[in-house]
Amino acid sequence: MKDKYEYNQETKNRLKRIEGQVRGVLKMMEEDKECKDVITQLSAARSAMDRAIGYIVAKNLETCIKEAEEEGGSAEDLINEAVNMIVKSR
């Protein structure tokens, strides 16, 4: 994919919410909350991070495919690269 990235405010807001979740987990730990509750919040943060990764890859892929079509190129390599990025993120 091209080295052209556009991160809109929605994307940044997603990450700010994740940041808040992680800060909340740290606070829970400092307050000696139950392990189950801490793990639940960590799982929620991880899930939010996975969704953010998918969203960023999808938006970037959409832009790259449009550019490839305009230039008469194939989107197959772009799609494969996007899938690999998602797989590696897990």
Side-chain angles (χ1 to χ4, degrees), residues 2-14:
K2 290 188 176 184
D3 291 333
K4 178 182 176 184
Y5 305 105
E6 293 182 23
Y7 303 111
N8 62 22
Q9 194 58 44
E10 180 184 354
T11 303
K12 294 173 190 175
N13 289 342
R14 285 172 182 259

Side-chain angles (χ1 to χ4, degrees), residues 41-60:
Q41 290 306 310
L42 283 172
S43 294
R46 179 175 55 193
S47 177
M49 186 68 73
D50 289 342
R51 287 191 308 272
I53 289 168
Y55 180 82
I56 291 169
V57 170
K59 286 297 183 183
N60 189 49

Side-chain angles (χ1 to χ4, degrees), residues 41-83:
Q41 290 306 310
L42 283 172
S43 294
R46 179 175 55 193
S47 177
M49 186 68 73
D50 289 342
R51 287 191 308 272
I53 289 168
Y55 180 82
I56 291 169
V57 170
K59 286 297 183 183
N60 189 49
L61 179 60
E62 182 181 315
T63 300
C64 290
I65 287 175
K66 286 178 185 175
E67 289 175 1
E69 288 175 348
E70 289 172 2
E71 296 170 4
S74 169
E76 186 175 342
D77 289 339
L78 298 170
I79 293 168
N80 288 333
E81 186 176 350
V83 169

